[in-house]
Amino acid sequence: MGRKKFVFAAVGLIHTPFKKILEVPRWGSLTEKEAVIEIFPEFEEGLEGIERYQEIEVIFVFHRSKGPKLKVKPPHDDKERGIFATRGPVRPNPIGLTVMKLLRREGRFLRVKNVDMLDGTPVLDIKPYKGE
Amino acid sequence: MGRKKFVFAAVGLIHTPFKKILEVPRWGSLTEKEAVIEIFPEFEEGLEGIERYQEIEVIFVFHRSKGPKLKVKPPHDDKERGIFATRGPVRPNPIGLTVMKLLRREGRFLRVKNVDMLDGTPVLDIKPYKGE
């Protein structure tokens, strides 16, 4: 509808233990499984200092989203809700956001916990959340 | 560099009291000024139920970002840091994220507090944060 568009490129990928959608926990805090965020070499410098944070916000793409839908019935819910009142994947812009525990940084790889996304998920951004 | 690209379109705009970059508070929580998120008519249905939340996460575009830069010297800081260890605007993907107090919804308009972005900032997504 002529709305302004923005083009973003992945800065990395998340390697998680979840190969299928049904394996992904509903919330990252429901699993103790670890994962690794791989930042592409050309962005590694941008990670400097991130290791001082215990928690990070990771913005990613729901790359397998079959959306968008404006109304959804969340699991364990009996009625439809607007997509902006949920955190589900079928959003107008399929952008996901999860707070993860940062266990350690090894160069351009971040070992993290509390992930709730598929293996191979593209990462758009990382922001410091808690720590220092 | 051949990295996978994603195209997103704004779902709305934020109308804030801050017309110039120097007027924008460093943190949304530093100001009591109110703002209004306008969601475009075609996405209004997606807001249903958002009014049950007292706080929302708003994902937006730093549309005036003069980036990207991988290293920055944050204000009040004496050394350079990697951009992913800051929340500054000159990110590889200029995506911003702010938790706002949701004061009320009026149709496709959300009256909010704790904003730290320029007037006219494009909104990509809204997610429930606290409430219910």
Side-chain angles (χ1 to χ4, degrees):
Chain A
M1 307 205 181
R3 300 301 184 191
K4 188 149 191 213
K5 291 192 167 62
F6 302 91
V7 180
F8 300 117
V11 298
L13 294 174
I14 315 185
H15 304 280
T16 81
F18 313 119
K19 313 293 176 197
K20 295 177 188 168
I21 287 173
L22 286 176
E23 297 169 3
V24 177
R26 197 170 164 215
W27 296 97
S29 53
L30 295 178
T31 177
E32 286 296 303
K33 286 182 180 165
E34 296 185 6
V36 171
I37 301 176
E38 173 190 0
I39 295 296
F40 299 137
E42 62 269 36
F43 302 109
E44 177 174 348
E45 209 185 344
L47 289 175
E48 209 175 296
I50 192 89
E51 56 276 357
R52 289 187 293 179
Y53 293 88
Q54 283 98 55
E55 293 184 57
I56 55 175
E57 285 172 327
V58 179
I59 296 175
F60 59 93
V61 182
F62 287 116
H63 63 305
R64 301 264 297 276
S65 168
K66 303 249 190 312
K69 289 181 196 165
L70 288 179
K71 299 292 276 295
V72 293
K73 208 166 81 53
H76 316 297
D77 208 331
D78 56 352
K79 50 174 259 188
E80 287 204 318
R81 299 180 182 231
I83 188 69
F84 297 127
T86 81
R87 300 182 71 90
V90 294
R91 325 183 69 75
N93 294 309
I95 298 174
L97 165 63
T98 298
V99 172
M100 299 180 191
K101 284 216 170 85
L102 175 58
L103 301 174
R104 63 182 174 280
R105 174 185 168 205
E106 289 157 4
R108 62 189 180 88
F109 297 89
L110 303 178
R111 185 159 284 272
V112 293
K113 232 166 68 168
N114 303 146
V115 296
D116 56 356
M117 63 283 295
L118 281 168
D119 186 43
T121 289
V123 174
L124 294 177
D125 198 12
I126 294 178
K127 297 180 194 294
Y129 186 67
K130 257 187 224 165
E132 281 230 290
Chain B
M1 309 202 182
R3 299 303 183 188
K4 187 149 192 214
K5 290 191 168 61
F6 302 92
V7 180
F8 299 116
V11 298
L13 294 174
I14 316 187
H15 304 280
T16 81
F18 313 120
K19 313 293 177 198
K20 295 178 189 168
I21 286 173
L22 285 176
E23 297 169 2
V24 177
R26 197 170 165 218
W27 295 99
S29 53
L30 294 178
T31 177
E32 287 296 303
K33 286 184 181 164
E34 297 185 6
V36 171
I37 301 176
E38 173 190 359
I39 296 297
F40 300 137
E42 63 268 37
F43 300 110
E44 178 174 347
E45 210 185 341
L47 290 174
E48 209 174 297
I50 193 89
E51 55 276 358
R52 289 187 294 180
Y53 293 89
Q54 282 98 55
E55 293 184 57
I56 55 176
E57 287 172 326
V58 178
I59 297 177
F60 58 93
V61 181
F62 288 116
H63 63 305
R64 301 264 297 276
S65 168
K66 303 245 191 311
K69 290 180 194 164
L70 288 179
K71 299 292 275 298
V72 293
K73 208 167 82 51
H76 317 295
D77 207 331
D78 56 351
K79 51 176 261 192
E80 286 205 319
R81 300 179 181 232
I83 188 68
F84 296 126
T86 81
R87 301 183 71 90
V90 295
R91 325 183 69 76
N93 294 309
I95 297 173
L97 166 62
T98 298
V99 172
M100 300 181 192
K101 284 215 171 86
L102 175 58
L103 302 175
R104 63 182 175 278
R105 175 186 168 204
E106 290 157 4
R108 62 190 182 86
F109 297 89
L110 303 179
R111 184 160 284 272
V112 295
K113 232 166 70 170
N114 302 147
V115 295
D116 56 356
M117 63 281 296
L118 280 169
D119 187 42
T121 290
V123 175
L124 294 177
D125 198 11
I126 294 177
K127 296 181 196 291
Y129 186 66
K130 257 188 223 166
E132 285 231 285

